[in-house]
Amino acid sequence: MNLHNKTALVTGASQGIGKAIALRLAESGADIALNVREADKRSESLRSEIEALGRRCAVMPCDVSQIEPLRAAFARVADQLGAIDILVNNAGIEKRAEFLDVTEADYDAVMNVNLKGAFFLAQVFAARCKQAGRGGRIINISSVHEDLPFPHFSAYCISKGGMRMMTRNLAIELAPYGITVNNIAPGAIETPINARVLSDPALHDALLANIPLKRLGRPGDVAGVTAFLASADADYITGTTSVVDGGLLWNYAEQ
Ligand code: BGC
């Protein structure tokens, strides 16, 4: 994938899928803005790694659920790196609870990071692209749970279902500006969000039994599709979801 002369902003870039995407886009030639909740050793070392690839890199510390600070942080990073061509809305959280026990605070936290932050970042990004008369790419890291129910994660599923509809709507509204909007729907990927399952052999085996390709996904599996969607080869793709799940979503077997 050739992303030379492009600049990408990746949210939630300090670990897991976001980190792998930032590195893959940099390896493909893009300069990178790393959004993290707070700058720390991880973001500093990722910045050094990206700069060692010969790319420019800026760290953008900001909680994506705080909309005014998010807009200000976007403006600062665009001043630093120049126009942003590719927005990857990756930041996401999940909270496990039975539906009857979900608190308002947890519901708000999940919706605000996963959906509201992505929505308003897409808005500020698209406004800049329109103003500059240049197209752009919005790539949302959703989940198989934009379609598939996940008991005990109702707010998470609702946020991802909302992300799916956001993608479909924005793909149409932003097409006249040359901005494409697509989702990637990862299944079970080896990242910190799955720490509970990864550290318990019984849970891990039960999860593997649902995956036809018989392994968990790796962050790189998602990063490769992101680089493709960001590239010129994906010029004609908008409003879609690419599922990256080893076959989990449509797995059904009878003994
Ligand atoms: C969730 C994981 C889950 C996976 C497959 C992801 O969206 O974050 O917790 O294991 O979907 O169900």
Side-chain angles (χ1 to χ4, degrees), residues 50-78:
I50 288 170
E51 286 175 349
L53 292 167
R55 308 270 66 90
R56 294 185 309 143
C57 184
V59 177
M60 174 189 168
C62 174
D63 176 347
V64 296
S65 66
Q66 304 293 317
I67 304 309
E68 272 320 312
L70 179 65
R71 290 188 176 121
F74 185 92
R76 274 197 301 277
V77 90

mmCIF file of all heavy atoms in Angstrom, residues 50-78:
data_model
loop_
_atom_site.group_PDB
_atom_site.id
_atom_site.type_symbol
_atom_site.label_atom_id
_atom_site.label_comp_id
_atom_site.label_asym_id
_atom_site.label_seq_id
_atom_site.Cartn_x
_atom_site.Cartn_y
_atom_site.Cartn_z
ATOM 1 N N ILE A 50 7.930 5.315 15.001
ATOM 2 C CA ILE A 50 7.409 5.845 13.734
ATOM 3 C C ILE A 50 8.420 6.810 13.105
ATOM 4 O O ILE A 50 8.660 6.775 11.892
ATOM 5 C CB ILE A 50 6.034 6.513 13.978
ATOM 6 C CG1 ILE A 50 4.999 5.411 14.253
ATOM 7 C CG2 ILE A 50 5.616 7.392 12.804
ATOM 8 C CD1 ILE A 50 3.657 5.893 14.753
ATOM 9 N N GLU A 51 9.051 7.629 13.945
ATOM 10 C CA GLU A 51 10.061 8.553 13.403
ATOM 11 C C GLU A 51 11.259 7.786 12.846
ATOM 12 O O GLU A 51 11.851 8.199 11.852
ATOM 13 C CB GLU A 51 10.473 9.557 14.483
ATOM 14 C CG GLU A 51 9.357 10.595 14.687
ATOM 15 C CD GLU A 51 9.606 11.563 15.829
ATOM 16 O OE1 GLU A 51 10.549 11.321 16.631
ATOM 17 O OE2 GLU A 51 8.863 12.546 15.933
ATOM 18 N N ALA A 52 11.570 6.648 13.476
ATOM 19 C CA ALA A 52 12.687 5.829 12.979
ATOM 20 C C ALA A 52 12.378 5.264 11.583
ATOM 21 O O ALA A 52 13.287 4.884 10.846
ATOM 22 C CB ALA A 52 12.987 4.698 13.955
ATOM 23 N N LEU A 53 11.103 5.217 11.240
ATOM 24 C CA LEU A 53 10.722 4.772 9.889
ATOM 25 C C LEU A 53 10.840 5.920 8.879
ATOM 26 O O LEU A 53 10.502 5.768 7.705
ATOM 27 C CB LEU A 53 9.266 4.268 9.892
ATOM 28 C CG LEU A 53 8.982 2.983 10.672
ATOM 29 C CD1 LEU A 53 7.467 2.772 10.856
ATOM 30 C CD2 LEU A 53 9.579 1.780 9.951
ATOM 31 N N GLY A 54 11.242 7.096 9.378
ATOM 32 C CA GLY A 54 11.395 8.248 8.493
ATOM 33 C C GLY A 54 10.122 9.061 8.336
ATOM 34 O O GLY A 54 10.014 9.918 7.456
ATOM 35 N N ARG A 55 9.156 8.820 9.192
ATOM 36 C CA ARG A 55 7.881 9.534 9.098
ATOM 37 C C ARG A 55 7.796 10.607 10.178
ATOM 38 O O ARG A 55 8.429 10.496 11.228
ATOM 39 C CB ARG A 55 6.714 8.545 9.281
ATOM 40 C CG ARG A 55 6.779 7.334 8.372
ATOM 41 C CD ARG A 55 6.064 7.562 7.055
ATOM 42 N NE ARG A 55 6.663 8.562 6.223
ATOM 43 C CZ ARG A 55 7.611 8.326 5.306
ATOM 44 N NH1 ARG A 55 8.080 7.116 5.117
ATOM 45 N NH2 ARG A 55 8.080 9.303 4.564
ATOM 46 N N ARG A 56 6.985 11.616 9.937
ATOM 47 C CA ARG A 56 6.716 12.598 10.983
ATOM 48 C C ARG A 56 5.618 12.046 11.889
ATOM 49 O O ARG A 56 4.739 11.318 11.435
ATOM 50 C CB ARG A 56 6.278 13.929 10.366
ATOM 51 C CG ARG A 56 7.410 14.597 9.559
ATOM 52 C CD ARG A 56 7.007 15.966 9.053
ATOM 53 N NE ARG A 56 5.741 15.905 8.359
ATOM 54 C CZ ARG A 56 4.810 16.868 8.414
ATOM 55 N NH1 ARG A 56 5.007 17.961 9.120
ATOM 56 N NH2 ARG A 56 3.684 16.751 7.734
ATOM 57 N N CYS A 57 5.694 12.420 13.155
ATOM 58 C CA CYS A 57 4.698 11.883 14.097
ATOM 59 C C CYS A 57 4.435 12.893 15.205
ATOM 60 O O CYS A 57 5.367 13.487 15.741
ATOM 61 C CB CYS A 57 5.215 10.578 14.703
ATOM 62 S SG CYS A 57 4.010 9.788 15.795
ATOM 63 N N ALA A 58 3.171 13.106 15.516
ATOM 64 C CA ALA A 58 2.805 13.993 16.628
ATOM 65 C C ALA A 58 1.881 13.219 17.570
ATOM 66 O O ALA A 58 1.034 12.445 17.117
ATOM 67 C CB ALA A 58 2.071 15.216 16.091
ATOM 68 N N VAL A 59 2.081 13.440 18.863
ATOM 69 C CA VAL A 59 1.183 12.823 19.847
ATOM 70 C C VAL A 59 0.075 13.825 20.158
ATOM 71 O O VAL A 59 0.327 15.015 20.335
ATOM 72 C CB VAL A 59 1.963 12.433 21.131
ATOM 73 C CG1 VAL A 59 1.008 11.860 22.177
ATOM 74 C CG2 VAL A 59 3.057 11.412 20.793
ATOM 75 N N MET A 60 -1.158 13.323 20.178
ATOM 76 C CA MET A 60 -2.333 14.182 20.406
ATOM 77 C C MET A 60 -3.072 13.670 21.652
ATOM 78 O O MET A 60 -3.996 12.864 21.535
ATOM 79 C CB MET A 60 -3.225 14.094 19.160
ATOM 80 C CG MET A 60 -4.551 14.786 19.248
ATOM 81 S SD MET A 60 -5.536 14.310 17.771
ATOM 82 C CE MET A 60 -7.151 14.898 18.223
ATOM 83 N N PRO A 61 -2.646 14.133 22.845
ATOM 84 C CA PRO A 61 -3.309 13.634 24.051
ATOM 85 C C PRO A 61 -4.676 14.289 24.205
ATOM 86 O O PRO A 61 -4.782 15.515 24.195
ATOM 87 C CB PRO A 61 -2.375 14.091 25.190
ATOM 88 C CG PRO A 61 -1.292 14.896 24.552
ATOM 89 C CD PRO A 61 -1.635 15.138 23.124
ATOM 90 N N CYS A 62 -5.698 13.486 24.320
ATOM 91 C CA CYS A 62 -7.055 14.029 24.421
ATOM 92 C C CYS A 62 -8.044 12.892 24.621
ATOM 93 O O CYS A 62 -7.943 11.868 23.952
ATOM 94 C CB CYS A 62 -7.353 14.759 23.108
ATOM 95 S SG CYS A 62 -9.013 15.338 22.981
ATOM 96 N N ASP A 63 -8.994 13.092 25.516
ATOM 97 C CA ASP A 63 -10.082 12.134 25.710
ATOM 98 C C ASP A 63 -11.119 12.408 24.621
ATOM 99 O O ASP A 63 -11.710 13.499 24.587
ATOM 100 C CB ASP A 63 -10.664 12.370 27.120
ATOM 101 C CG ASP A 63 -11.868 11.500 27.400
ATOM 102 O OD1 ASP A 63 -12.415 10.900 26.459
ATOM 103 O OD2 ASP A 63 -12.275 11.456 28.575
ATOM 104 N N VAL A 64 -11.330 11.439 23.735
ATOM 105 C CA VAL A 64 -12.207 11.698 22.580
ATOM 106 C C VAL A 64 -13.660 11.961 22.979
ATOM 107 O O VAL A 64 -14.452 12.428 22.161
ATOM 108 C CB VAL A 64 -12.180 10.546 21.537
ATOM 109 C CG1 VAL A 64 -10.807 10.388 20.918
ATOM 110 C CG2 VAL A 64 -12.669 9.233 22.129
ATOM 111 N N SER A 65 -13.999 11.683 24.231
ATOM 112 C CA SER A 65 -15.391 11.910 24.627
ATOM 113 C C SER A 65 -15.638 13.352 25.081
ATOM 114 O O SER A 65 -16.773 13.718 25.376
ATOM 115 C CB SER A 65 -15.808 10.915 25.708
ATOM 116 O OG SER A 65 -15.094 11.151 26.886
ATOM 117 N N GLN A 66 -14.586 14.157 25.119
ATOM 118 C CA GLN A 66 -14.731 15.580 25.502
ATOM 119 C C GLN A 66 -14.668 16.405 24.220
ATOM 120 O O GLN A 66 -13.579 16.656 23.699
ATOM 121 C CB GLN A 66 -13.595 15.991 26.456
ATOM 122 C CG GLN A 66 -13.497 15.129 27.716
ATOM 123 C CD GLN A 66 -14.697 15.322 28.628
ATOM 124 O OE1 GLN A 66 -15.148 16.443 28.837
ATOM 125 N NE2 GLN A 66 -15.241 14.219 29.124
ATOM 126 N N ILE A 67 -15.802 16.842 23.724
ATOM 127 C CA ILE A 67 -15.866 17.310 22.333
ATOM 128 C C ILE A 67 -15.120 18.628 22.094
ATOM 129 O O ILE A 67 -14.379 18.750 21.116
ATOM 130 C CB ILE A 67 -17.330 17.385 21.846
ATOM 131 C CG1 ILE A 67 -18.005 16.012 22.017
ATOM 132 C CG2 ILE A 67 -17.401 17.834 20.394
ATOM 133 C CD1 ILE A 67 -17.255 14.818 21.431
ATOM 134 N N GLU A 68 -15.272 19.616 22.977
ATOM 135 C CA GLU A 68 -14.548 20.883 22.716
ATOM 136 C C GLU A 68 -13.030 20.689 22.761
ATOM 137 O O GLU A 68 -12.322 21.115 21.847
ATOM 138 C CB GLU A 68 -15.012 21.998 23.659
ATOM 139 C CG GLU A 68 -16.228 22.788 23.131
ATOM 140 C CD GLU A 68 -16.194 23.088 21.621
ATOM 141 O OE1 GLU A 68 -15.157 23.552 21.108
ATOM 142 O OE2 GLU A 68 -17.199 22.847 20.931
ATOM 143 N N PRO A 69 -12.502 20.029 23.818
ATOM 144 C CA PRO A 69 -11.053 19.750 23.819
ATOM 145 C C PRO A 69 -10.621 18.908 22.614
ATOM 146 O O PRO A 69 -9.518 19.089 22.092
ATOM 147 C CB PRO A 69 -10.836 18.968 25.123
ATOM 148 C CG PRO A 69 -11.991 19.329 25.992
ATOM 149 C CD PRO A 69 -13.144 19.631 25.078
ATOM 150 N N LEU A 70 -11.502 18.029 22.143
ATOM 151 C CA LEU A 70 -11.171 17.191 20.983
ATOM 152 C C LEU A 70 -11.003 18.061 19.734
ATOM 153 O O LEU A 70 -10.056 17.901 18.965
ATOM 154 C CB LEU A 70 -12.290 16.160 20.783
ATOM 155 C CG LEU A 70 -12.161 15.192 19.611
ATOM 156 C CD1 LEU A 70 -10.962 14.271 19.787
ATOM 157 C CD2 LEU A 70 -13.435 14.352 19.459
ATOM 158 N N ARG A 71 -11.917 19.005 19.563
ATOM 159 C CA ARG A 71 -11.814 19.906 18.394
ATOM 160 C C ARG A 71 -10.528 20.725 18.466
ATOM 161 O O ARG A 71 -9.838 20.911 17.466
ATOM 162 C CB ARG A 71 -13.014 20.857 18.353
ATOM 163 C CG ARG A 71 -14.311 20.160 18.004
ATOM 164 C CD ARG A 71 -15.414 21.196 17.779
ATOM 165 N NE ARG A 71 -16.633 20.536 17.351
ATOM 166 C CZ ARG A 71 -17.799 20.611 17.992
ATOM 167 N NH1 ARG A 71 -17.919 21.335 19.092
ATOM 168 N NH2 ARG A 71 -18.857 19.978 17.530
ATOM 169 N N ALA A 72 -10.215 21.204 19.661
ATOM 170 C CA ALA A 72 -9.000 22.021 19.825
ATOM 171 C C ALA A 72 -7.758 21.175 19.563
ATOM 172 O O ALA A 72 -6.807 21.628 18.903
ATOM 173 C CB ALA A 72 -8.966 22.611 21.238
ATOM 174 N N ALA A 73 -7.768 19.940 20.041
ATOM 175 C CA ALA A 73 -6.603 19.064 19.837
ATOM 176 C C ALA A 73 -6.441 18.743 18.356
ATOM 177 O O ALA A 73 -5.321 18.677 17.839
ATOM 178 C CB ALA A 73 -6.776 17.777 20.647
ATOM 179 N N PHE A 74 -7.554 18.568 17.653
ATOM 180 C CA PHE A 74 -7.486 18.296 16.205
ATOM 181 C C PHE A 74 -6.840 19.487 15.490
ATOM 182 O O PHE A 74 -5.972 19.327 14.627
ATOM 183 C CB PHE A 74 -8.886 18.024 15.639
ATOM 184 C CG PHE A 74 -8.868 17.629 14.188
ATOM 185 C CD1 PHE A 74 -8.808 16.305 13.821
ATOM 186 C CD2 PHE A 74 -8.883 18.590 13.188
ATOM 187 C CE1 PHE A 74 -8.766 15.933 12.480
ATOM 188 C CE2 PHE A 74 -8.833 18.240 11.848
ATOM 189 C CZ PHE A 74 -8.787 16.898 11.497
ATOM 190 N N ALA A 75 -7.273 20.693 15.864
ATOM 191 C CA ALA A 75 -6.723 21.897 15.218
ATOM 192 C C ALA A 75 -5.216 21.998 15.478
ATOM 193 O O ALA A 75 -4.437 22.320 14.575
ATOM 194 C CB ALA A 75 -7.450 23.141 15.739
ATOM 195 N N ARG A 76 -4.803 21.695 16.708
ATOM 196 C CA ARG A 76 -3.369 21.774 17.047
ATOM 197 C C ARG A 76 -2.559 20.786 16.225
ATOM 198 O O ARG A 76 -1.496 21.112 15.690
ATOM 199 C CB ARG A 76 -3.146 21.471 18.540
ATOM 200 C CG ARG A 76 -3.305 22.699 19.442
ATOM 201 C CD ARG A 76 -2.671 22.456 20.807
ATOM 202 N NE ARG A 76 -3.244 21.305 21.500
ATOM 203 C CZ ARG A 76 -4.363 21.334 22.206
ATOM 204 N NH1 ARG A 76 -5.055 22.466 22.324
ATOM 205 N NH2 ARG A 76 -4.804 20.248 22.805
ATOM 206 N N VAL A 77 -3.056 19.574 16.095
ATOM 207 C CA VAL A 77 -2.290 18.551 15.392
ATOM 208 C C VAL A 77 -2.252 18.846 13.886
ATOM 209 O O VAL A 77 -1.255 18.589 13.213
ATOM 210 C CB VAL A 77 -2.828 17.137 15.752
ATOM 211 C CG1 VAL A 77 -3.923 16.662 14.840
ATOM 212 C CG2 VAL A 77 -1.714 16.136 15.797
ATOM 213 N N ALA A 78 -3.325 19.445 13.368
ATOM 214 C CA ALA A 78 -3.326 19.815 11.944
ATOM 215 C C ALA A 78 -2.350 20.973 11.694
ATOM 216 O O ALA A 78 -1.722 21.054 10.641
ATOM 217 C CB ALA A 78 -4.738 20.171 11.491
#
